[in-house]
């Protein structure tokens, strides 16, 4: 329990820290990786190499500090981050390292303003916040380990099949190398794949949504090949060009909170842009096979036909359901965008909608759905990559 004085100091200095967020984060990461280069096996190196600021971590610490009296208030955010951490194999022993370098960075940037009293208060607050994460993450690891065919951290898988879905999306069917089955998962969850790329010093981790309904013997991910010169595309290019059937790959257990609520029978709509179609495929297939009578619509935006994945699969399921609608728009064509009118026609505002795609696409879809009167609790969405603070949503 933090003392009244500690709470007051933390709450009154949180805005100052947030104001210097970018500088503190830069100092924090650069010092931490210098002292602990092994952490580059966990963190996304493309972000670091590009100098792209990962302010999310530090900002969350400040936001949590503001709510230090009532951490329950930020629990949903903590659970979402904890899913990501667990998928990446973050361990309890990493927290003191992050804490140490975050506090050192605060001290370095704030200089004299960071008195011992201020630093001690933050050290205490960080300890409380870290304990919340650690306890939630331990619970998740335990659940993962005790689930049938489950495991925690990483496990060896074999690429059983590699199937081209469009000009730039290829599916990888993954089976455990020990011949066991995989655990069941919720439609919409993701896994992390971990790769050693020849010539690269550290391991690479990337999250990919599972792109088919839960099956006992395999996972499927569907990867978009990014451009050769995109530092964030290294893993996708390596997977597309170098990884083939029979190759080994490390995989973490399914995680994530952006999942289909299978208990409902209300209308459900899936709205995706580009490779955002992947979690939608898992959700759509789950509805088609488990509750085919549920009213469902599938709305997708692709650049053109050659980049449009899974068209035949969606059509195949639509044909087996009484209440299914399907529409695709190609943005290379005139009037090829999903408009409010199209959403009104395809999405039943009394039901649930799941949205996934690039950030501008999501922002547009969410604001149009709201304009159509859909309440926020019925609009579910997930962004690619690091959680982005969406100002306009
Ligand atoms: C991602 C917060 C501790 C490793 C994140 C994100 C947040 C966050 C907000 C972005 C989530 C997203 O992208 O959806 C925190 C807080 C911490 C903490 C508040 C302490 C209380 C740690 C520790 C580690 C760690 C101890 C391991 C050393 C990562 C990694 C990512 C991440 C690897 C993915 C982003 C990337 O690869 O650059 N964390 N984190 N975090 N966190 Fe943490």
């Amino acid at each position: 329990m933090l003392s009244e004085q500690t709470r007051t100091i933390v709450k009154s200095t949180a805005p100052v820290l947030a104001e210097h967020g970018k500088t503190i984060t830069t100092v924090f990461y650069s010092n931490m990786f210098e002292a602990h280069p092994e952490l580059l096996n966990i963190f996304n190196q493309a972000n670091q190499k590009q100098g792209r600021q990962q302010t999310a971590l530090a900002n969350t610490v400040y936001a949590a500090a503001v709510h230090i009296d009532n951490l329950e208030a930020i629990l949903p955010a903590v659970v979402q981050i904890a899913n990501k951490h667990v998928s990446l194999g973050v361990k309890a022993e990493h927290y003191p390292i992050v804490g140490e370098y975050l506090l050192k960075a605060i001290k370095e940037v704030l200089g004299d303003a960071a008195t011992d009293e201020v630093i001690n208060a933050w050290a205490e607050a960080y300890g409380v916040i870290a304990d919340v994460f650690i306890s939630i993450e331990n619970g998740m690891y335990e659940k993962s380990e005790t689930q049938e065919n489950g495991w925690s951290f990483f496990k060896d898988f074999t690429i059983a099949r590699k199937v081209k879905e469009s000009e730039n999306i290829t599916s990888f069917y993954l089976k455990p190398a020990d011949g066991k089955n995989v655990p069941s998962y919720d439609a919409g969850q993701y896994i992390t794949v971990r790769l050693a790329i020849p010539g690269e010093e550290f391991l690479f981790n990337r999250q990919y949504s599972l792109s088919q309904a839960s099956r006992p013997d395999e996972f499927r991910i569907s990867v978009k090949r990014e451009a050769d010169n995109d530092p964030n595309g290294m893993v996708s290019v390596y997977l597309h060009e170098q990884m083939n059937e029979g190759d080994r790959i490390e995989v973490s257990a399914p995680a994530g909170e952006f999942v289909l609520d299978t208990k409902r029978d209300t209308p459900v709509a899936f709205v995706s842009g580009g490779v955002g179609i992947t979690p939608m495929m898992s959700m759509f297939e789950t509805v088609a096979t488990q509750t085919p009578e549920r009213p469902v619509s599938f709305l997708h935006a692709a650049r053109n036909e050659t980049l449009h994945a899974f068209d035949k699969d969606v059509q195949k399921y639509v044909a087996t359901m009484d209440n299914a609608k399907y529409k695709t728009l190609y943005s290379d064509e005139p009037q090829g965008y999903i408009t409010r009118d199209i959403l009104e026609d395809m999405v039943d505002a009394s039901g649930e909608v799941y949205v996934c795609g690039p950030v501008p696409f999501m922002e547009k879809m969410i604001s149009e759905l709201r304009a159509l009167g859909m309440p926020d609790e019925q609009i579910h969405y997930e962004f690619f990559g690091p959680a982005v603070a969406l100002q306009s949503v």
Side-chain angles (χ1 to χ4, degrees):
M1 191 68 184
L2 296 176
S3 70
E4 192 55 44
Q5 198 198 3
T6 300
R7 285 158 191 255
T8 311
I9 296 173
V10 162
K11 282 199 268 179
S12 64
T13 48
V16 186
L17 297 195
E19 198 189 307
H20 293 88
K22 209 174 162 190
T23 331
I24 294 174
T25 311
T26 311
V27 172
F28 157 63
Y29 278 118
S30 107
N31 290 347
M32 183 169 80
F33 291 134
E34 200 179 307
H36 290 275
E38 75 283 0
L39 290 181
L40 284 167
N41 287 314
I42 308 182
F43 280 87
N44 182 332
Q45 300 153 52
N47 291 339
Q48 309 305 328
K49 272 192 198 155
Q50 290 170 99
R52 211 160 70 180
Q53 295 313 315
Q54 291 281 294
T55 44
L57 195 161
N59 283 344
T60 307
V61 173
Y62 312 143
V66 171
H67 293 95
I68 199 85
D69 294 329
N70 176 25
L71 283 174
E72 295 286 306
I74 59 153
L75 214 53
V78 175
V79 169
Q80 198 202 331
I81 300 163
N83 270 282
K84 188 97 176 240
H85 282 164
V86 165
S87 180
L88 285 159
V90 169
K91 294 180 176 164
E93 69 224 41
H94 293 135
Y95 279 84
I97 304 176
V98 163
E100 181 187 340
Y101 287 92
L102 195 56
L103 286 166
K104 281 187 177 157
I106 292 173
K107 200 163 170 52
E108 196 176 319
V109 174
L110 295 193
D112 289 346
T115 58
D116 284 352
E117 208 180 22
V118 168
I119 292 296
N120 290 340
W122 274 96
E124 265 189 77
Y126 175 82
V128 170
I129 296 162
D131 282 348
V132 173
F133 275 91
I134 292 169
S135 115
I136 291 176
E137 287 162 17
N138 282 345
M140 289 177 174
Y141 282 127
E142 207 176 294
K143 194 170 158 211
S144 230
E145 273 163 36
T146 48
Q147 193 184 354
E148 197 180 353
N149 297 309
W151 73 96
S152 55
F153 304 105
F154 288 89
K155 174 168 172 160
D156 271 347
F157 274 63
T158 306
I159 298 174
R161 267 185 305 144
K162 191 176 168 185
V163 177
K164 191 168 173 156
E165 309 286 3
S166 77
E167 256 333 287
N168 65 359
I169 297 178
T170 290
S171 285
F172 295 82
Y173 290 79
L174 309 172
K175 288 182 188 284
D178 61 9
K180 284 193 179 164
N181 275 345
V182 294
S184 68
Y185 60 87
D186 294 330
Q189 287 195 301
Y190 57 82
I191 55 169
T192 297
V193 301
R194 186 162 80 172
L195 280 179
I197 298 185
E200 293 291 329
E201 193 179 353
F202 299 104
L203 299 170
F204 282 78
N205 297 282
R206 285 293 180 281
Q207 274 88 40
Y208 294 105
S209 297
L210 292 159
S211 62
Q212 65 183 9
S214 187
R215 281 177 176 62
D217 60 335
E218 66 182 15
F219 290 149
R220 183 180 75 175
I221 55 170
S222 305
V223 179
K224 177 185 168 200
R225 188 197 191 284
E226 302 292 347
D228 283 318
N229 58 359
D230 178 351
N232 247 322
M234 246 182 116
V235 173
S236 74
V237 171
Y238 189 77
L239 283 167
H240 273 250
E241 306 294 333
Q242 309 293 338
M243 296 295 277
N244 294 307
E245 289 174 9
D247 287 345
R248 290 286 175 94
I249 190 164
E250 284 186 302
V251 172
S252 70
E257 296 284 301
F258 174 63
V259 295
L260 175 72
D261 183 348
T262 50
K263 286 182 224 66
R264 289 177 193 268
D265 56 8
T266 44
V268 60
F270 303 110
V271 179
S272 58
V275 74
I277 195 169
T278 49
M280 302 293 149
M281 287 307 294
S282 176
M283 295 191 197
F284 184 63
E285 204 181 79
T286 303
V287 174
T289 50
Q290 290 181 13
T291 49
E293 65 293 342
R294 190 173 178 186
V296 57
S297 57
F298 197 101
L299 183 55
H300 181 58
R303 280 218 338 256
N304 56 49
E305 204 179 342
T306 62
L307 298 174
H308 180 190
F310 303 117
D311 183 33
K312 289 205 171 64
D313 306 78
V314 177
Q315 285 191 37
K316 189 187 80 189
Y317 282 120
V318 167
T320 64
M321 291 186 277
D322 293 336
N323 255 322
K325 290 199 236 178
Y326 173 38
K327 190 176 181 69
T328 302
L329 285 108
Y330 296 136
S331 60
D332 281 353
E333 293 176 3
Q335 274 113 39
Y337 288 92
I338 299 179
T339 59
R340 190 180 301 180
D341 286 346
I342 294 174
L343 284 170
E344 192 167 20
D345 181 44
M346 293 289 290
V347 181
D348 186 328
S350 70
E352 306 292 309
V353 61
Y354 293 81
V355 190
C356 190
V359 173
F361 172 85
M362 309 266 307
E363 288 180 337
K364 175 101 175 95
M365 294 301 108
I366 294 165
S367 76
E368 296 293 10
L369 288 163
R370 284 180 181 154
L372 288 171
M374 259 187 115
D376 276 355
E377 54 281 12
Q378 288 162 228
I379 307 175
H380 313 274
Y381 53 89
E382 181 172 76
F383 292 97
F384 295 158
V388 184
L390 285 170
Q391 306 307 336
S392 55
V393 172

